[in-house]
Amino acid sequence: MTPAIELRKINKRFGSVHANRDIDLVVRKGSIHGIVGENGAGKSTLMSILYGFYHADSGEILVSGKTAVIADSRAAIRLGIGMVHQHFMLVDTFTVLENVLLGAEEGLFLGGGADRARAELRRLDAEYNLKVDPDAVVEDLPVGLQQRVEILKVLLRGAEILILDEPTGVLTPAEADHLFRILQVLRDQGKTVLLITHKLREIMAVTDTVSVMRRGEMVATRATAETTMEELAELMVGRSVLLRVDKTPAQPKEKVLVVDHLTVTDSRGVDVVRNVSFDVRAGEIVGIAGVSGNGQSELLEAIAGIRRARKGSIWIAGEAVDIAATPLDPAEMRRRGLCHVPEDRHRMGLVTGFAEYENAILGYQDNPQYGRGPFLDIRAIRNEARAEIEKYDIRPPDCQLKTASFSGGNQQKIVLAREIERDPTVLLVGQPTRGVDIGAIEFIHRRLIEMRDAGKGILLVSVELDEIRSLADRVLVMFDGSIVGERPAETGEAELGLLMAGVHDGTVHGAHP
Amino acid sequence: ADIQPAVLYDMGGKFDKSFNEAAYAGAEEFKKASGIDYRDFEIQNDSQREQALRNFAKRGQSPIVAIGFSQANAVEKIAKEFPDIQFAIVDMVVDLPNVRSVVFKEHEGSYMVGMLAAMASQTGKVGFVGGMDIPLIRKFACGYKQGVLAAKPDAEVFENMTGDTGAAWNDPVKGGELAKSQFARGADVVYHAAGGTGIGVLQAAADAGKLGIGVDSNQNALHPGSVLTSMLKRVDVAVYDAFEDARNGRWTSGVTVLGLAEGGVDWALDEHNEKLITAEMKAAVDKAREDIVSGTVKVHDYMADQTCPF
Amino acid sequence: MFETLILILDSTLRLSTPLLLACLAGLYSERSGVVDIGLEGKMLGAAFGAGAVAYLTASAWAGLAAGIAVAVGLALVHGFASITNRGNQIVSGVAINFLAAGLTALLGQAWFRQGGRTPPLPEGGRFLDIVFPFAEELRAVPVVGPIYAELLSGHNVLVYAAFLAVPLTWWALYRTRFGLRLRAVGENPAAVDTAGISVVLLRYRAVILCGVLCGIAGAYLSIAQSSGFIKDMTAGKGFIALAALIFAKWRPLNAMFACLLFGFLDAVAIRLQGQPLPGIGEVPVQVFQALPYILTVILLAGFIGKAIPPRASGIPYLKERT
Amino acid sequence: MSAGQLPRWVDFGLIPLLNLAAAFLVSGLVVLLIGESPLEAVGILVWGSLGFGEGIGFTLFYATNFIFTGLAVAVAFHAGLFNIGGEGQAYIGGLGVAWACLALDRIVPWWVTMPVAVLGAAAAGAAWAFVPAWLQARRGSHVVITTIMFNFIAASLMVYLLVNVMAKPGSMQPETRTFEAGGRLPMLNDLLPFASFGTAPVNLALVLALVAALAVWVLVWRTRLGYAIRTLGANPTAAVYAGISPARTIVVAMLISGGLAGMMAINEIMGSQHRLLIEFVSGYGFVGIAVALMGRAHPLGIVLAAILFGMLYQGGAELSFEKPAITRDMIVVIQGLVILFAGALEHMFRPTLVRIFTFARAPSATVG
Ligand SMILES: Nc1ncnc2c1ncn2[C@@H]1O[C@H](COP(=O)(O)OP(=O)(O)OP(=O)(O)O)[C@@H](O)[C@H]1O
Ligand SMILES: Nc1ncnc2c1ncn2[C@@H]1O[C@H](COP(=O)(O)OP(=O)(O)OP(=O)(O)O)[C@@H](O)[C@H]1O
Ligand SMILES: [Mg+2]
Ligand SMILES: [Mg+2]
């Protein structure tokens, strides 16, 4: 059978970076083909070339056995190729329908095309169980649903070959499973799927074949059935990797963070955090599990002093902070020993246009050790940044480089280094390993455990159930703004998954209006 | 040897449809009559006033005529630096032995056109549109009001200014709107002292079938039959005379005040507006001219006490 | 009183027309992600082109076409700099303002020798007011009469065009394929690109439309509202239009209301100027000159929330970070 | 934009030169069109601005204005704010200078008046920026609109004050009386023994401008406040995260911006005109936008761009003096072309140069 896709000697440079080097790849029709590799290995670049978003410097692409010239995405779409990008290509201010319609309008005016698209969305929902409200505005949707819109876009255009670039980075296990079931249906319908992911478990679970990339090269292709996670990890990183976190039982001491009856209202006036109470002790990691968009982000932000709480109070290291009354002041929280690794490093945790060393003091710019009076002591800051770079193995080790030029994993390490090295009493951590490759994940997890063992209290928010289960000592599950249950870390995935879906004590709790 | 005359225009530039343009016309006239070429310069900012005067002086240009009251400080300074060069300034007095100062009695000319406006008005309401609310323009407005009231004591005068930035002198659209607003309030004759803005004023008058009055140079021809008259301010004559006197060796320094008596200001009567000016009107303003020249009627000069009693 | 109001509103229409046209022009450009502070320059260039050609041909329509051609030409320069060469859009806009100010005066002087002015337009060179049927007959009818005869009737064709352009723009933006893509490219050009649509072409089309509308705005100034071009005759209207666009949060209907508001404030200030205010008495004329601007600031502070521009505006689209 | 692929001298030397050359090439075509020799015109322009002491003096005098207004735009820009109000802020800044000078010039020497005048200028300019700043910070009113409006309001206020309040009696000119020696900054010519700026009005304010440029550099890149300003400008959510108050930072940045714009008046009013007069800003505030953006909001770039514009102003004046056919409008066209080619089209030659240099460096690396 002719392969769906064949790539021959693809090369791509970005300036001095050789992102793809003589890549050969054969993708069987009607298969799910996984691609793994570290951050910056060149996976996204390769897929973007296939999708006509970038142009290869040299090489050949064959689609269904025929040489294809993919000059732009339009050509790719015409060849039946569809792509869900790692960074969503959605217009946030548009409705779902408008997003789906974009580029598939059928005619100069929107009326008819919109009706057809609506009907088509209903059909796809029926066929694949992909429900979204066509009139919802995309920026109001949780990320999981946003991704669903991306998939719908691809399906609506009748793609035969689907490329998904790190689709599960933002999904809950349940959502991910749902996605994989859809991919399997698609495969069974004869479509071809290219799946990029950092999660080897997923590779093992759904793919038929897997290719490994390292530093711009294609280093191996295996039938999934004939390989192991350990082998893949080693192929990716070039050394053997520990896939499990080693930790000893926690030894919790005094309460360092107490949250009491906290209620947070968002700009639309909806209560997004409802009457939440819990505490974190020194020397333990408390995990908050939940499907994204259930108030975890707002909870973290309220504790960190970034978002105003409507009701409730917080004690940090025994001292009360009346966060509903005092003006918001994240700086004050930091002075009290509460540090915060935000969920979204691009939006909040970093100024990507700054040099690395400048980001090393974000939030601590007023600390006395970084200067005298109103002035900053650049040398002191750089020294500290260099020390962190060394300690956290941030690559490239150049503190004057723009932060945007670091890969996601290294950017995450910059944020972690900054917050952990402040030696906080309480550390809030949101999504510490989102989009980060396994080598870096291993490192980050080890650091968090070390902190715990040094007697810090850590509040960890993650949508990765795996991460929560392997790091946390206690697990709180959030659903629709409330904490719906507390479980020990050993609790099974199934039980936590049910809680996350709002099912507990045998009843289903519907979302509040 | 021939003289080497020069003109320095004010910020509005030599084609401002106003006094700078009149100066340009005078210089051109001289060039045509005498065959002697002249230099000129349009400044772009205040710092160039001195610079340009000095540049002229260094090159031995003389006489150098500076147009506009804003040039006074610069003329004073440079005239001291170059005592052998003849300077003239229009619209302001600089008291130096080598400077001729030419000032105009704009109020007298405005008085005359004010009378004509009042007499031509059916409604007893007339308007005035100025460029910017500065003393010079108030001087125009005040003389005009006095003239209107002299001809029709119960007449009403609407007074508007265009704006407070340089654009006020080049905004025909706003000028037109101001005129229309005055027409809406019942005015049927409108006089402008607003440079390029006035073009819009006269246009609005023509469009509405009302009458406009031009300023500085003869603007009667812009809309024949719709421009009642123009208040002439003979800056052209001042420039021409300065050049001519220097050429003939009749140069005098000191202050020259040009009013009705000297023909420095006047109103325009030509084929474009002769149908609009009745014999009666003409007789009345001729009479007024005599009275002003003889001193029986005194037209109030706003600059004398910074007030306008009307 | 009622009549005064009608007259003020009438004046409002005339004053807001050029603002509205320029504002809509800016809307197309900025909705596509190309910031345009060169509205002023394009309008000025168009006013000159229209004035010059209307004088030479004695045809207002030829003048309009020339005005549009000039503005589109300048718009293409802006497009070349900011779309093709990914230059700084604000710098490019500033450059266009300078170029237009200089070139109109320079060429005007070279061609007509009247100091950058174009000569007064001949018969036919100007858009005249259109009087609706029975306007005069109906004038006497109370309330409706003045509204019909004074307010609705008796404007030139460009005024009607400007106000017609509002629903048209709304329709184009929200009901056509072009509009959908235009809005998308201003928010997230990468999304448009991956949908197989050329970002560059789309933005060029937006910028050209911007030129067309600026062209009409400029022509309105020189060959409809006035009769001829005068140097610098736009007198800051392009900047006010820009302010109106932000005020309107980049939406066509809002744009109309914003421009009407600016026009109205101007008309009121013109009307009030030189009249003693009840209870206050004689007020310096400068107060009235500043009034529209002061009121705008107050309105802005009081009623209009945050204006969030199209997300990608001002940022050149660059897919390969080379 | 990474500059890594081209040698530094190409990036910071050759490319700007090429851009300027392109601007002058097109300007030359326009000059040719009106029947003058472009070569001669360029000669006069360069000679007029740099060829002799007085020309240099004028160039530097204008550059002083542009440094102030350019820095003003740049500081706001770093905070993510587009301050188009430099024109009005500088105009009002003149009030501060005039009040100081009128009060002190007959009593104390200039060096006592100067600090008061500088403070006055900065305070007045800052005050004029305060309302737009406060409205942006508290009400979200777009600073672009409000600063445009405040330019117009400033013009009205100044006409009122100059005509009705501050004018010297009996004068046609809306201007204050001329300051005495105690209200005049010394000319650089008199200050520096070796200088030969002739009668050019370049004065001590130039030094002040350079100090301001240095201070802005320190402020933006070496202080905690500057860090806060840049963080806010680059990523407002990150600023909130970092405990930086957006409202406070907006107001502070705008006050500094307005203060810098206001200080332009020191050069014009105390340094050159020695009286407050109507419309003295005459567009320097707007040119500041171009200067700031061409200088990439960096003080050094701004100083260089300011000198370039100073050259265009002064050389342009000489040019239209020498060649009456080249009117002042021609100079505006040339300025526009320089802004276009050296500013907006700055990347035009880049791809070509990259190709040339990559080829030169690795001739064997065949591509495509
Ligand atoms: N638009 C771009 N401009 C310049 N260089 C780029 C660009 N995109 C990618 N690169 C370079 O290409 C290399 C490969 O990047 P790519 O995004 O393909 O990695 P990836 O394998 O998808 O990594 P990740 O797992 O983090 O998504 C990077 O190291 C980077 O240096
Ligand atoms: N301006 C640039 N020039 C060269 N390389 C760059 C530049 N910007 C980013 N890169 C490289 O591109 C690679 C991918 O960048 P990107 O921001 O996509 O990181 P990422 O690993 O995909 O992060 P994330 O997972 O958060 O998306 C990084 O390895 C980085 O070194
Ligand atoms: Mg990737
Ligand atoms: Mg990535």
Side-chain angles (χ1 to χ4, degrees):
Chain A
M1 197 167 67
T2 42
I5 288 171
E6 195 176 344
L7 302 178
R8 291 183 187 156
K9 294 255 172 291
I10 297 287
N11 273 288
K12 176 71 184 172
R13 283 172 178 279
F14 293 107
S16 53
V17 178
H18 205 154
N20 286 164
R21 193 190 300 259
D22 289 335
I23 302 277
D24 292 321
L25 180 69
V26 177
V27 181
R28 201 159 35 81
K29 202 171 160 61
S31 72
I32 299 181
H33 192 122
I35 297 182
V36 293
E38 283 185 291
N39 290 125
K43 309 177 294 288
S44 299
T45 304
L46 188 65
M47 294 303 110
S48 295
I49 288 171
L50 184 53
Y51 188 60
F53 194 60
Y54 293 156
H55 297 267
D57 298 335
S58 65
E60 202 183 352
I61 301 175
L62 286 84
V63 178
S64 304
K66 279 192 286 285
T67 307
V69 182
I70 306 181
D72 53 19
S73 303
R74 172 180 297 260
I77 293 168
R78 228 179 282 126
L79 287 167
I81 303 173
M83 178 159 175
V84 175
H85 292 262
Q86 182 176 0
H87 304 279
F88 294 160
M89 296 294 181
L90 294 172
V91 182
D92 288 349
T93 51
F94 275 19
T95 61
V96 170
L97 188 71
E98 284 175 315
N99 265 296
V100 167
L101 213 49
L102 185 66
E105 300 90 346
E106 304 182 28
L108 286 175
F109 309 112
L110 295 184
D115 293 342
R116 272 190 295 279
R118 234 176 245 279
E120 191 69 0
L121 285 179
R122 268 195 301 273
R123 185 185 70 75
L124 291 172
D125 176 23
E127 189 169 350
Y128 302 105
N129 190 16
L130 285 168
K131 189 161 207 66
V132 280
D133 173 9
D135 297 310
V137 176
V138 163
E139 64 189 346
D140 295 338
L141 295 178
V143 251
L145 281 185
Q146 293 190 3
Q147 187 191 55
R148 193 171 281 187
V149 178
E150 284 282 35
I151 294 171
L152 286 168
K153 264 167 69 176
V154 171
L155 293 178
L156 195 92
R157 284 166 179 70
E160 284 299 314
I161 300 164
L162 282 83
I163 306 168
L164 294 105
D165 194 350
E166 275 184 50
T168 58
V170 295
L171 299 184
T172 58
E175 286 174 320
D177 284 346
H178 182 75
L179 174 66
F180 293 144
R181 275 197 301 279
I182 293 169
L183 295 185
Q184 276 153 353
V185 173
L186 289 169
R187 171 186 55 193
D188 297 344
Q189 291 173 346
K191 299 191 198 300
T192 310
V193 177
L194 270 158
L195 175 69
I196 298 179
T197 173
H198 287 298
K199 297 175 194 161
L200 297 179
R201 224 166 47 93
E202 293 172 352
I203 292 287
M204 303 313 289
V206 288
T207 62
D208 304 307
T209 319
V210 53
S211 298
V212 184
M213 286 184 78
R214 187 166 77 220
R215 303 210 182 140
E217 289 180 86
M218 193 59 84
V219 291
T221 297
R222 299 269 189 279
T224 311
E226 291 158 19
T227 186
T228 60
M229 291 211 264
E230 284 73 17
E231 187 197 16
L232 291 176
E234 202 169 328
L235 282 168
M236 271 166 71
V237 187
R239 63 178 163 86
S240 65
V241 186
L242 212 55
L243 290 177
R244 227 168 298 98
V245 198
D246 273 338
K247 63 169 188 183
T248 52
Q251 273 138 20
K253 298 191 191 65
E254 78 283 1
K255 292 180 182 175
V256 286
L257 172 69
V258 178
V259 172
D260 188 30
H261 291 95
L262 194 72
T263 296
V264 178
T265 309
D266 73 0
S267 56
R268 295 164 301 173
V270 179
D271 282 353
V272 282
V273 174
R274 301 158 191 271
N275 233 354
V276 165
S277 306
F278 64 89
D279 52 52
V280 178
R281 286 169 183 276
E284 70 167 349
I285 297 180
V286 175
I288 294 191
V291 179
S292 71
N294 273 287
Q296 308 96 309
S297 325
E298 290 83 359
L299 176 65
L300 272 199
E301 290 181 8
I303 299 174
I306 296 169
R307 188 181 277 272
R308 190 179 301 277
R310 187 159 65 80
K311 276 202 305 254
S313 41
I314 289 176
W315 281 264
I316 297 171
E319 277 184 73
V321 199
D322 187 0
I323 51 169
T326 46
L328 295 177
D329 190 1
E332 173 61 22
M333 297 295 189
R334 288 194 180 92
R335 275 193 294 276
R336 288 173 184 237
L338 180 134
C339 291
H340 176 198
V341 176
E343 281 183 318
D344 186 337
R345 53 182 174 262
H346 290 284
R347 205 175 69 86
M348 199 173 266
L350 292 168
V351 180
T352 48
F354 278 10
E356 194 276 342
Y357 74 88
E358 290 178 299
N359 271 304
I361 60 163
L362 186 72
Y364 304 94
Q365 64 279 354
D366 291 332
N367 282 16
Q369 71 261 39
Y370 299 131
R372 211 176 300 155
F375 298 102
L376 288 172
D377 180 351
I378 299 296
R379 192 172 313 173
I381 297 169
R382 282 189 190 151
N383 284 340
E384 168 136 358
R386 285 196 197 101
E388 284 172 10
I389 285 177
E390 163 122 28
K391 187 162 173 191
Y392 287 78
D393 189 25
I394 295 167
R395 272 179 284 181
D398 178 358
C399 73
Q400 311 223 38
L401 201 65
K402 261 198 182 167
T403 315
S405 310
F406 288 85
S407 74
N410 283 300
Q411 288 178 347
Q412 187 67 22
K413 285 198 229 167
I414 295 172
V415 180
L416 277 166
R418 178 181 72 212
E419 301 301 324
I420 292 176
E421 289 307 304
R422 234 40 61 181
D423 195 25
T425 315
V426 184
L427 182 67
L428 309 180
V429 189
Q431 311 294 357
T433 56
R434 177 182 280 174
V436 169
D437 67 54
I438 45 172
I441 290 177
E442 183 194 14
F443 174 82
I444 290 169
H445 283 180
R446 235 184 312 113
R447 281 298 304 152
L448 289 175
I449 297 289
E450 275 169 30
M451 267 200 85
R452 180 200 73 165
D453 294 343
K456 313 294 177 193
I458 297 178
L459 181 65
L460 167 75
V461 168
S462 176
V463 295
E464 305 279 346
L465 210 40
D466 271 350
E467 181 162 74
I468 296 268
R469 289 180 61 227
S470 58
L471 281 183
D473 302 305
R474 282 190 289 143
V475 182
L476 306 173
V477 182
M478 256 186 111
F479 175 74
D480 196 29
S482 310
I483 289 186
V484 292
E486 178 178 334
R487 296 287 184 276
E490 307 79 52
T491 313
E493 189 176 311
E495 189 183 342
L496 288 177
L498 278 181
L499 277 172
M500 283 165 67
V503 187
H504 59 106
D505 311 333
T507 52
V508 179
H509 292 246
H512 295 254
Chain B
D2 269 344
I3 57 161
Q4 294 177 289
V7 189
L8 178 65
Y9 305 104
D10 204 347
M11 215 88 96
K14 66 175 158 188
F15 299 103
D16 65 347
K17 259 289 170 226
S18 185
F19 60 103
N20 286 304
E21 192 160 335
Y24 168 67
E28 285 291 305
E29 178 78 30
F30 173 80
K31 179 169 151 186
K32 224 189 297 155
S34 67
I36 298 175
D37 205 355
Y38 67 98
R39 260 182 183 279
D40 63 356
F41 188 75
E42 302 171 82
I43 58 156
Q44 256 175 318
N45 58 61
D46 294 303
S47 308
Q48 288 175 348
R49 299 182 197 282
E50 275 179 32
Q51 188 186 15
L53 286 173
R54 194 176 284 115
N55 270 345
F56 282 141
K58 271 192 193 153
R59 284 173 171 74
Q61 309 284 142
S62 180
I64 302 167
V65 183
I67 309 298
F69 56 79
S70 312
Q71 318 270 22
N73 280 36
V75 168
E76 184 165 357
K77 185 158 174 201
I78 307 303
K80 277 185 197 151
E81 278 177 38
F82 297 90
D84 300 332
I85 286 177
Q86 294 156 348
F87 290 89
I89 179 162
V90 171
D91 271 3
M92 192 74 173
V93 176
V94 170
D95 191 14
L96 283 174
N98 57 333
V99 180
R100 169 191 286 195
S101 307
V102 186
V103 291
F104 290 88
K105 292 183 173 172
E106 292 93 348
H107 45 292
E108 293 185 354
S110 298
Y111 180 93
M112 306 285 279
V113 299
M115 285 187 70
L116 288 168
M119 288 185 285
S121 169
Q122 314 277 311
T123 58
K125 293 171 182 163
V126 299
F128 173 83
V129 174
M132 200 187 277
D133 180 35
I134 54 173
L136 178 67
I137 298 305
R138 290 185 183 175
K139 187 176 176 186
F140 278 85
C142 191
Y144 176 69
K145 278 193 214 164
Q146 188 178 354
V148 170
L149 298 178
K152 234 182 228 167
D154 57 346
E156 211 181 322
V157 184
F158 306 133
E159 185 183 325
N160 282 136
M161 298 292 173
T162 309
D164 296 317
T165 62
W169 309 104
N170 270 321
D171 194 347
V173 169
K174 182 94 182 266
E177 277 308 317
L178 286 166
K180 281 175 192 161
S181 145
Q182 295 184 343
F183 297 147
R185 286 155 71 190
D188 56 356
V189 186
V190 57
Y191 172 41
H192 84 85
T197 301
I199 303 213
V201 174
L202 299 181
Q203 181 72 49
D207 289 350
K210 318 272 174 173
L211 293 171
I213 299 177
V215 80
D216 288 341
S217 46
N218 188 343
Q219 299 182 320
N220 293 1
L222 279 180
H223 302 281
S226 285
V227 180
L228 177 64
T229 180
S230 300
M231 196 289 270
L232 304 175
K233 174 175 168 183
R234 305 306 300 267
V235 177
D236 51 341
V237 175
V239 172
Y240 186 93
D241 286 352
F243 288 2
E244 186 62 28
D245 289 350
R247 188 167 75 110
N248 296 337
R250 290 200 309 254
W251 176 269
T252 52
S253 295
V255 182
T256 315
V257 180
L258 299 179
L260 272 178
E262 298 80 11
V265 295
D266 210 335
W267 61 283
L269 180 62
D270 59 15
E271 72 272 21
H272 301 299
N273 69 336
E274 59 194 1
K275 292 207 192 69
L276 300 170
I277 308 289
T278 61
E280 198 184 334
M281 285 159 75
K282 188 164 184 315
V285 284
D286 283 347
K287 165 88 175 48
R289 176 200 302 273
E290 273 168 36
D291 289 346
I292 293 169
V293 171
S294 69
T296 17
V297 167
K298 219 180 131 22
V299 183
H300 180 77
D301 178 1
Y302 173 84
M303 292 313 295
D305 56 359
Q306 319 277 312
T307 58
C308 183
F310 307 100
Chain C
M1 193 55 223
F2 175 69
E3 201 177 331
T4 310
L5 183 68
I6 293 288
L7 288 169
I8 289 181
L9 290 179
D10 194 39
S11 165
T12 300
L13 289 187
R14 288 192 301 265
L15 288 168
S16 29
T17 296
L19 298 182
L20 180 54
L21 287 164
C23 188
L24 292 176
L27 190 144
Y28 279 104
S29 182
E30 302 213 342
R31 268 301 179 115
S32 82
V34 180
V35 167
D36 195 354
I37 67 168
L39 295 174
E40 176 89 359
K42 288 201 276 280
M43 248 206 282
L44 189 65
F48 174 72
V53 170
Y55 165 72
L56 293 172
T57 62
S59 156
W61 292 103
L64 177 65
I68 291 176
V70 171
V72 168
L74 289 172
L76 287 175
V77 171
H78 187 48
F80 179 69
S82 53
I83 305 170
T84 305
N85 281 289
R86 305 188 190 102
N88 185 312
Q89 299 170 6
I90 294 169
V91 176
S92 166
V94 171
I96 281 169
N97 289 340
F98 271 81
L99 276 180
L103 279 176
T104 51
L106 195 70
L107 296 178
Q109 171 58 14
W111 293 344
F112 303 108
R113 308 253 154 227
Q114 297 198 8
R117 247 175 299 122
T118 59
L121 299 179
E123 193 82 17
R126 194 165 163 227
F127 287 107
L128 296 177
D129 292 348
I130 297 168
V131 178
F132 286 7
F134 309 113
E136 283 317 307
E137 290 80 346
L138 288 172
R139 190 177 284 273
V141 181
V143 184
V144 185
I147 290 182
Y148 180 74
E150 195 69 50
L151 197 55
L152 298 181
S153 160
H155 296 281
N156 62 66
V157 61
L158 299 185
V159 176
Y160 301 112
F163 284 88
L164 204 63
V166 175
L168 264 176
T169 299
W170 180 88
W171 178 78
L173 220 49
Y174 296 104
R175 289 289 179 270
T176 69
R177 181 173 77 184
F178 170 69
L180 181 78
R181 294 175 172 190
L182 183 81
R183 284 182 292 134
V185 81
E187 292 287 337
N188 186 355
V192 170
D193 200 350
T194 52
I197 305 159
S198 162
V199 172
V200 169
L201 270 183
L202 200 48
R203 287 195 166 161
Y204 264 107
R205 279 155 72 192
V207 161
I208 288 171
L209 270 179
C210 168
V212 170
L213 284 165
C214 276
I216 304 177
Y220 175 80
L221 291 179
S222 65
I223 66 173
Q225 208 173 13
S226 318
S227 173
F229 172 83
I230 292 190
K231 123 188 186 159
D232 294 333
M233 76 184 301
T234 40
K237 291 185 181 63
F239 289 99
I240 301 288
L242 195 67
L245 181 60
I246 300 171
F247 208 66
K249 300 182 179 172
W250 294 269
R251 299 210 185 100
L253 277 183
N254 290 0
M256 181 178 78
F257 291 121
C259 292
L260 280 173
L261 179 72
F262 284 171
F264 178 74
L265 293 177
D266 221 4
V268 169
I270 284 172
R271 183 71 186 195
L272 290 180
Q273 202 199 93
Q275 290 179 153
L277 284 187
I280 304 173
E282 217 41 80
V283 175
V285 57
Q286 288 82 15
V287 171
F288 293 107
Q289 308 285 17
L291 195 64
Y293 309 115
I294 296 173
L295 287 177
T296 302
V297 171
I298 293 173
L299 285 173
L300 199 60
F303 300 105
I304 317 290
K306 218 179 169 112
I308 299 161
R311 211 156 293 177
S313 68
I315 310 160
Y317 178 57
L318 183 75
K319 71 175 156 188
E320 300 195 22
R321 290 166 286 181
T322 45
Chain D
M1 185 88 4
S2 74
Q5 303 166 51
L6 288 173
R8 280 179 78 82
W9 66 269
V10 175
D11 240 326
F12 297 100
L14 186 60
I15 288 190
L17 272 182
L18 280 176
N19 291 332
L20 274 182
F24 281 110
L25 208 69
V26 179
S27 308
L29 289 180
V30 184
V31 172
L32 212 58
L33 253 172
I34 57 172
E36 292 285 342
S37 149
L39 274 182
E40 207 182 334
V42 171
I44 296 174
L45 196 110
V46 173
W47 174 83
S49 55
L50 297 178
F52 58 107
E54 189 163 302
I56 298 175
F58 267 97
T59 298
L60 293 177
F61 170 74
Y62 293 123
T64 307
N65 286 338
F66 299 139
I67 292 174
F68 281 121
T69 54
L71 289 175
V73 174
V75 168
F77 213 70
H78 280 294
L81 300 164
F82 192 26
N83 176 14
I84 331 196
E87 193 80 6
Q89 289 145 14
Y91 207 177
I92 299 293
L95 270 187
V97 179
W99 277 326
C101 292
L102 290 173
L104 298 175
D105 66 336
R106 289 173 172 155
I107 318 171
V108 295
W110 66 265
W111 46 268
V112 179
T113 313
M114 180 173 168
V116 182
V118 170
L119 271 182
W128 205 246
F130 176 73
V131 178
W134 190 84
L135 289 175
Q136 168 85 62
R138 291 280 160 214
R139 312 278 324 175
S141 315
H142 208 294
V143 82
V144 168
I145 313 183
T146 44
T147 50
I148 291 177
M149 299 296 147
F150 266 69
N151 285 340
F152 287 105
I153 300 172
S156 292
L157 178 66
M158 291 298 279
V159 171
Y160 176 77
L161 289 177
L162 279 169
V163 171
N164 299 301
V165 183
M166 304 178 78
K168 69 180 169 215
S171 167
M172 277 282 190
Q173 169 92 317
E175 63 183 27
T176 63
R177 71 167 169 83
T178 304
F179 310 146
E180 309 285 321
R184 300 177 176 206
L185 285 183
M187 295 292 151
L188 280 193
N189 209 36
D190 307 332
L191 224 52
L192 307 175
F194 52 86
S196 57
F197 296 131
T199 53
V202 58
N203 59 76
L204 199 58
L206 173 63
V207 178
L208 186 66
L210 294 176
V211 171
L214 185 68
V216 166
W217 181 82
V218 171
L219 168 79
V220 172
W221 281 284
R222 287 292 179 272
T223 67
R224 304 182 199 264
L225 175 62
Y227 184 90
I229 288 177
R230 283 188 297 132
T231 305
L232 179 71
N235 186 347
T237 26
V240 173
Y241 161 78
I244 294 162
S245 154
R248 202 187 74 109
T249 311
I250 286 174
V251 171
V252 171
M254 278 297 284
L255 288 182
I256 295 173
S257 173
L260 283 165
M263 277 160 71
M264 190 214 94
I266 292 283
N267 187 43
E268 278 286 326
I269 300 303
M270 196 179 175
S272 163
Q273 302 294 336
H274 306 138
R275 68 213 143 100
L276 181 61
L277 67 173
I278 203 162
E279 298 255 287
F280 74 88
V281 186
S282 52
Y284 298 128
F286 287 119
V287 176
I289 298 173
V291 167
L293 293 170
M294 281 180 65
R296 300 183 190 182
H298 190 288
L300 184 63
I302 288 169
V303 170
L304 293 177
I307 290 174
L308 175 65
F309 272 82
M311 284 176 62
L312 288 177
Y313 264 59
Q314 162 57 14
E318 290 296 329
L319 184 56
S320 56
F321 198 89
E322 292 296 328
K323 301 262 162 208
I326 301 178
T327 61
R328 58 179 181 178
D329 305 309
M330 178 71 215
I331 313 299
V332 178
V333 173
I334 296 179
Q335 284 170 19
L337 288 169
V338 167
I339 300 174
L340 185 68
F341 281 95
L345 288 172
E346 60 176 350
H347 306 311
M348 193 162 64
F349 298 112
R350 217 158 191 292
T352 320
L353 285 174
V354 168
R355 231 169 292 139
I356 293 172
F357 276 86
T358 343
F359 188 72
R361 238 181 285 157
S364 56
T366 43
V367 170

